Amino acid sequence: MKTNRIEAFSDGVMAIIITIMVLELKAPHDPTPTSLVKMWPVFFAYVLSFVIIAIYWVNHHYLIHLVSHVDATILWANINLLFWISLLPWVTVYLGDNHALPFPVALYAAVSAAGGLSFFLLRASIARHHHHEPDFLRLYKKMLRKNLIAIFIYMVAMALAFIYTPLALMLIATPAAMYFLPERGLGFFVNGRSS
Amino acid sequence: MKTNRIEAFSDGVMAIIITIMVLELKAPHDPTPTSLVKMWPVFFAYVLSFVIIAIYWVNHHYLIHLVSHVDATILWANINLLFWISLLPWVTVYLGDNHALPFPVALYAAVSAAGGLSFFLLRASIARHHHHEPDFLRLYKKMLRKNLIAIFIYMVAMALAFIYTPLALMLIATPAAMYFLPERGLGFFVNGRSS
Amino acid sequence: MKTNRIEAFSDGVMAIIITIMVLELKAPHDPTPTSLVKMWPVFFAYVLSFVIIAIYWVNHHYLIHLVSHVDATILWANINLLFWISLLPWVTVYLGDNHALPFPVALYAAVSAAGGLSFFLLRASIARHHHHEPDFLRLYKKMLRKNLIAIFIYMVAMALAFIYTPLALMLIATPAAMYFLPERGLGFFVNGRSS
Amino acid sequence: MKTNRIEAFSDGVMAIIITIMVLELKAPHDPTPTSLVKMWPVFFAYVLSFVIIAIYWVNHHYLIHLVSHVDATILWANINLLFWISLLPWVTVYLGDNHALPFPVALYAAVSAAGGLSFFLLRASIARHHHHEPDFLRLYKKMLRKNLIAIFIYMVAMALAFIYTPLALMLIATPAAMYFLPERGLGFFVNGRSS
């Protein structure tokens, strides 16, 4: 199986996931600004998930772009990643509808951690075939650090949700923000090849 | 990242947004023509949003088509645009379900203005790299005028919604209609290159 | 604008429309075969709309395939067609939920007639530029007859829905069936070019 | 009609089907772990359907990839397959919402069997034109055995659902698991061509 096929399917799935979340944004029956403001956890979760899926999409493309062919392990590592991303709309609703209570926040963090871990596994399955290519290795190391930090933050947020939920929410938003900060040679697209 | 990738993803997202709106078109329980006619704000909002997203799609393609490569700023300016377009189905339902009350109409205008502004920002982020290309500049100026007029109209409609709602509704529909009117050398696709 | 772009967008929209209809297939609360059997109008409408959209997709591709470039008229004729097809999931639910009562059946027929008419207009907008190409003309005439028959049948069904609804339902299913029947040189894909 | 067109449409439909299932995953109103655990049939059905559609996608691509051109029979055999896959989200909800009662389990098995049979028919419609190509025949025979076993297991599960439902559920999950087991020269992607 060629790379462009797995890319097109993953693109399709991620485009749908990022879009269908809006179907779960229920409009309040009371058409007033105050009833909208009360929905802040719903909007917080929506914006956060939108940004997270966009980041997955950018990174996924960048990773797959380095690969020339796909074996069964990569294929299923990719489907595993899509599975966990597909659960994001659901935990987004769960978080928003329950007004950011401890357990839904922890579940959101857990699914995010599983997504981060799946991305790690996908990269590892690709690295098996490309460990001798300097281009891939350089990107691999850059991505690896951010990936591991993100998984770690999500796992801390998961535990913290039951202790102090607002901080856990802030932690959950951290990995997404991390990708916007310009870093010296660390940004996944801030280098010579992508611009 | 190459242009065709950002194009394919944006296409996918816009195709999904334009289509899923129909899921929010609830059929009235009473199967009579009168109960359908009462739903006119729902249908008005549906048709309007359908046309607006179609115009975004046409303009987006035309804009991206001029670009040869995409940097991080363009990438995130594009994701920002898709975010605001993704909110259109939600404000469409909010407008339709509340029978075009002042606040939902103002919110629809606000999200439309944000979408117009995001399109402006996307074009600006692209213009940074193409300010010396005559082809791009000519299109840029044509698009700019319509874009600024649309943002201005949406902002007027936002304020007017609380004063005289029917006029605000008409204003909201104006930018969409504006793109159908044949103008001398101003239409975004009515020129030699696109036909 | 090139043909492949309008094709990709139309494909995306039609793939989504044909698929999201299943979201409106509500499972009965009572998990028995009899409660499923009572849902027959829902399943009838689902199967019928699925087949109709599939036929639109096949014909649309075949038509667009003959075109080399797209102007503003063709672009908006295409968006108009997609608009009416996008209403099919909604009238499908309306028909199914109201157990095939006269008015929903007439509305389904009306939207189907509007879809057929939009296809006719799209073809006419394409024919303006290709009236001198023998390949296009041959296909044009073949498609034209089936298209006009379908519009006529839908309009008869619309009126008949209020007189004898079961016959109107049968009429609505006729144009879809018509495309499966092998005809001498008339089938839209049963000729030398497509196989 | 060329192969890449049918491939793109099928890809789109399968990407949407695999993704929209998450919209049917309703969050429990009670935000506790116990209320989530009680939802196990919903999650079981979600994971199972996700894997089954992913397997369809992988096999479908592999099959279509061998074909150079598509006739009307292949086209409609493909649309028939997509129709049965499109029902998977619906039976998934039916199974999950009714806590894996006998009839919904049997219906899930029946739709799965119909999907397997449709895949068999699609392959048969393709085989008519490629019966003299050794590459196709080798793959054909490999796929055929797994396909027939899967249909047989689904039909046994359908009957068993009314006798001992838990065993029927296990049987339904068997064909999906079957594709992960490494087999000597039998796996559809575990051979020299795909890696």
Side-chain angles (χ1 to χ4, degrees):
Chain A
M1 191 174 282
K2 285 201 197 123
T3 311
N4 68 325
R5 195 156 292 166
I6 202 176
E7 214 166 53
F9 187 72
S10 307
D11 265 15
V13 169
M14 284 190 278
I16 299 158
I17 293 171
I18 210 172
T19 316
I20 56 172
M21 280 192 307
V22 83
L23 288 174
E24 308 279 15
L25 268 189
K26 296 297 169 216
H29 294 288
D30 179 24
T32 59
T34 43
S35 67
L36 263 194
V37 169
K38 269 187 209 153
M39 280 176 69
W40 74 263
V42 174
F43 290 113
F44 171 84
Y46 181 74
V47 174
L48 183 59
S49 298
F50 196 96
V51 173
I52 287 175
I53 297 168
I55 290 170
Y56 269 121
W57 172 69
V58 171
N59 280 279
H60 184 270
H61 263 311
Y62 213 59
L63 182 65
I64 295 291
H65 193 244
L66 292 175
V67 182
S68 51
H69 52 264
V70 175
D71 66 3
T73 314
I74 297 176
L75 198 65
W76 286 103
N78 188 57
I79 287 171
N80 178 52
L81 174 63
L82 292 180
F83 174 78
W84 290 106
I85 299 179
S86 87
L87 286 182
L88 272 179
W90 183 74
V91 287
T92 302
V93 176
Y94 198 53
L95 179 63
D97 281 2
N98 293 297
H99 281 77
L101 284 177
F103 181 63
V105 170
L107 197 71
Y108 191 101
V111 167
S112 299
L117 194 66
S118 302
F119 196 82
F120 177 84
L121 291 175
L122 175 61
R123 197 170 41 226
S125 74
I126 289 171
R128 290 195 314 168
H129 300 287
H130 296 78
H131 53 267
H132 51 277
E133 297 168 22
D135 258 11
F136 179 81
L137 277 181
R138 208 167 43 235
L139 183 75
Y140 183 85
K141 276 178 194 158
K142 279 181 194 168
M143 279 182 153
L144 183 64
R145 207 173 99 182
K146 275 199 176 173
N147 197 169
L148 290 179
I149 294 172
I151 296 172
F152 177 74
I153 291 176
Y154 286 136
M155 285 172 78
V156 172
M158 199 159 51
L160 211 63
F162 299 101
I163 301 165
Y164 188 56
T165 316
L167 189 62
L169 273 178
M170 282 177 63
L171 273 186
I172 285 174
T174 310
M178 201 166 69
Y179 283 99
F180 286 102
L181 298 176
E183 290 180 61
R184 186 174 42 81
L186 249 173
F188 56 90
F189 39 61
V190 193
N191 55 23
R193 302 189 60 206
S194 61
S195 64
Chain B
M1 188 174 282
K2 287 203 196 122
T3 311
N4 67 325
R5 194 156 295 165
I6 201 177
E7 213 165 58
F9 187 72
S10 307
D11 265 17
V13 169
M14 283 191 278
I16 299 158
I17 292 171
I18 210 171
T19 317
I20 58 173
M21 281 193 306
V22 81
L23 289 174
E24 309 279 16
L25 267 188
K26 297 296 170 215
H29 293 290
D30 179 23
T32 59
T34 43
S35 65
L36 263 193
V37 169
K38 270 187 208 153
M39 280 176 69
W40 73 264
V42 174
F43 290 113
F44 171 85
Y46 181 73
V47 174
L48 183 60
S49 298
F50 196 96
V51 172
I52 288 175
I53 297 168
I55 289 170
Y56 270 121
W57 171 68
V58 170
N59 280 280
H60 184 271
H61 262 312
Y62 213 60
L63 183 64
I64 295 290
H65 193 245
L66 291 175
V67 183
S68 52
H69 53 265
V70 175
D71 66 3
T73 314
I74 296 175
L75 199 64
W76 286 103
N78 188 57
I79 287 170
N80 177 52
L81 174 63
L82 293 180
F83 174 78
W84 291 106
I85 298 179
S86 87
L87 286 183
L88 272 180
W90 183 74
V91 287
T92 302
V93 175
Y94 198 52
L95 178 63
D97 282 2
N98 292 297
H99 281 76
L101 284 176
F103 181 63
V105 169
L107 197 73
Y108 191 101
V111 168
S112 299
L117 194 66
S118 302
F119 196 83
F120 177 83
L121 291 175
L122 174 61
R123 194 169 44 224
S125 73
I126 288 171
R128 291 196 313 168
H129 301 287
H130 296 78
H131 53 269
H132 50 278
E133 297 170 21
D135 257 11
F136 180 81
L137 278 181
R138 209 168 40 235
L139 183 74
Y140 183 84
K141 277 177 193 159
K142 279 181 194 168
M143 277 181 154
L144 184 64
R145 206 171 102 182
K146 274 198 176 174
N147 197 170
L148 290 179
I149 294 172
I151 296 172
F152 176 74
I153 291 176
Y154 287 134
M155 285 172 79
V156 172
M158 198 158 53
L160 211 64
F162 299 101
I163 301 164
Y164 187 56
T165 317
L167 189 62
L169 273 178
M170 281 176 64
L171 274 184
I172 286 174
T174 310
M178 202 167 69
Y179 283 99
F180 286 102
L181 297 176
E183 291 180 59
R184 187 175 38 81
L186 250 173
F188 58 89
F189 39 61
V190 193
N191 55 24
R193 301 190 62 205
S194 60
S195 62
Chain C
M1 188 174 282
K2 286 202 196 124
T3 311
N4 68 323
R5 196 155 292 164
I6 202 177
E7 212 166 58
F9 187 72
S10 307
D11 264 16
V13 169
M14 283 191 277
I16 298 158
I17 293 171
I18 210 171
T19 318
I20 57 173
M21 281 194 305
V22 82
L23 289 173
E24 308 280 16
L25 267 188
K26 298 296 170 217
H29 294 288
D30 178 24
T32 57
T34 43
S35 65
L36 264 193
V37 169
K38 270 188 209 154
M39 283 175 69
W40 75 265
V42 175
F43 290 113
F44 171 84
Y46 181 73
V47 174
L48 182 60
S49 299
F50 196 96
V51 172
I52 287 175
I53 297 168
I55 289 170
Y56 270 120
W57 171 69
V58 171
N59 280 278
H60 184 270
H61 261 312
Y62 214 59
L63 182 64
I64 296 290
H65 193 246
L66 291 175
V67 182
S68 52
H69 53 266
V70 175
D71 65 4
T73 315
I74 296 175
L75 199 63
W76 287 103
N78 188 56
I79 287 170
N80 178 52
L81 173 63
L82 293 179
F83 174 78
W84 291 106
I85 299 180
S86 86
L87 287 182
L88 272 180
W90 183 73
V91 287
T92 301
V93 175
Y94 198 53
L95 178 64
D97 281 3
N98 291 296
H99 281 77
L101 284 177
F103 181 62
V105 169
L107 198 72
Y108 191 101
V111 168
S112 299
L117 194 65
S118 302
F119 196 82
F120 177 84
L121 291 174
L122 174 62
R123 195 170 43 223
S125 73
I126 289 172
R128 290 194 315 167
H129 300 287
H130 295 79
H131 53 269
H132 50 279
E133 296 169 23
D135 257 10
F136 179 80
L137 278 181
R138 207 166 43 232
L139 183 74
Y140 183 84
K141 277 179 193 157
K142 278 181 194 169
M143 278 182 153
L144 183 65
R145 205 171 103 182
K146 274 197 175 174
N147 197 170
L148 290 179
I149 294 172
I151 296 172
F152 177 75
I153 291 176
Y154 286 136
M155 286 173 77
V156 172
M158 199 159 50
L160 212 63
F162 299 100
I163 300 164
Y164 187 56
T165 317
L167 188 63
L169 273 178
M170 281 176 64
L171 273 185
I172 286 174
T174 308
M178 202 166 70
Y179 284 99
F180 285 103
L181 297 176
E183 291 180 59
R184 186 174 40 82
L186 249 172
F188 58 89
F189 39 62
V190 193
N191 55 24
R193 300 188 60 204
S194 61
S195 62
Chain D
M1 187 174 283
K2 285 202 197 123
T3 311
N4 68 324
R5 195 155 293 164
I6 202 177
E7 213 165 56
F9 186 73
S10 307
D11 264 16
V13 169
M14 283 190 277
I16 299 158
I17 293 171
I18 210 171
T19 318
I20 56 173
M21 280 193 307
V22 82
L23 288 174
E24 308 280 17
L25 267 189
K26 298 294 170 217
H29 295 287
D30 179 24
T32 57
T34 42
S35 66
L36 264 193
V37 169
K38 269 187 208 153
M39 280 175 70
W40 74 264
V42 174
F43 291 113
F44 171 84
Y46 181 73
V47 174
L48 182 59
S49 298
F50 196 96
V51 172
I52 287 175
I53 297 167
I55 290 170
Y56 270 120
W57 171 68
V58 171
N59 279 279
H60 184 270
H61 262 312
Y62 213 60
L63 182 65
I64 295 291
H65 193 246
L66 291 175
V67 182
S68 52
H69 53 264
V70 174
D71 65 4
T73 315
I74 296 176
L75 198 64
W76 286 103
N78 189 57
I79 287 171
N80 177 52
L81 174 64
L82 293 179
F83 174 78
W84 291 106
I85 298 179
S86 86
L87 286 182
L88 272 180
W90 183 73
V91 287
T92 302
V93 175
Y94 197 52
L95 178 64
D97 281 3
N98 292 297
H99 282 77
L101 284 177
F103 182 63
V105 170
L107 198 72
Y108 190 101
V111 168
S112 300
L117 193 66
S118 302
F119 196 83
F120 177 84
L121 291 174
L122 175 61
R123 195 168 44 224
S125 73
I126 289 171
R128 290 195 314 168
H129 300 286
H130 296 78
H131 53 267
H132 49 279
E133 297 169 23
D135 258 10
F136 179 80
L137 277 182
R138 208 166 42 234
L139 182 75
Y140 183 83
K141 277 179 192 158
K142 278 181 194 168
M143 278 182 153
L144 184 64
R145 204 172 103 183
K146 274 198 176 173
N147 198 169
L148 291 179
I149 294 172
I151 296 172
F152 176 75
I153 291 176
Y154 286 136
M155 286 172 77
V156 171
M158 198 159 51
L160 211 63
F162 299 101
I163 300 164
Y164 188 57
T165 317
L167 189 61
L169 273 178
M170 282 178 62
L171 273 186
I172 286 173
T174 308
M178 202 166 70
Y179 283 99
F180 286 102
L181 297 176
E183 292 181 59
R184 185 172 44 80
L186 250 173
F188 57 89
F189 40 62
V190 192
N191 55 23
R193 301 188 60 204
S194 59
S195 63

